[in-house]
Amino acid sequence: MRLRSYVIAAGVACLCLSAAFAQQEPIAARQSLMKQNRQAAGALGAIAKGEKPYDEAVVKTALTTISANIKAFPDQFPPGSDIGDTKALPAVWQKPDDFRALATKLGSEADALLATLPADKDGVAAALGKLGPICSECHKTYRAPTN
């Protein structure tokens, strides 16, 4: 009888831990996507500032990364993933259609830039001028400020 109680208690503990880990999974996924986007934007920024030479492959890879990641990003906010190590504001869950619309807007802009790939440093700077405001708008509304 005592063994049965221990087994049941262990099972309940595992279920609770599984729920906690499952909750962290989308947080980790969305943080990974945004880290990749930051790196992609950084690569574009380095070209736009003249810190790195124009490289078509780098530009294409960066825009492809942003396009693919932002399309997957809104799906990483299931109910309950607002608790944990996240900077997401409640507005993400309160206004999901608006949140998704901004992601779609960024994805569409990245796709348009891929279709007419910036051909030089100035083109990359102009591309960032189109992507940056969309990113900023989303961060202002849906992401807690960082210190």
Side-chain angles (χ1 to χ4, degrees), residues 9-96:
V12 169
C14 286
L15 286 175
C16 289
L17 285 174
S18 294
F21 287 127
Q23 187 172 330
Q24 288 292 72
E25 199 170 291
I27 294 172
R30 62 192 187 228
Q31 288 173 346
S32 176
L33 290 172
M34 283 298 106
K35 180 179 180 182
Q36 292 170 28
N37 280 2
R38 257 191 325 275
Q39 292 169 338
L44 294 173
I47 292 171
K49 294 175 190 172
E51 296 168 357
K52 299 278 183 174
Y54 175 84
D55 183 328
E56 182 178 312
V58 169
V59 172
K60 187 173 185 177
T61 298
L63 291 172
T64 300
T65 297
I66 292 168
S67 173
N69 287 356
I70 202 62
K71 290 172 185 166
F73 191 64
D75 296 329
Q76 306 308 313
F77 293 85
S81 68
D82 57 333
I83 299 168
D85 182 23
T86 181
K87 299 275 188 230
L89 292 172
V92 170
W93 294 271
Q94 294 165 350
K95 301 188 288 183

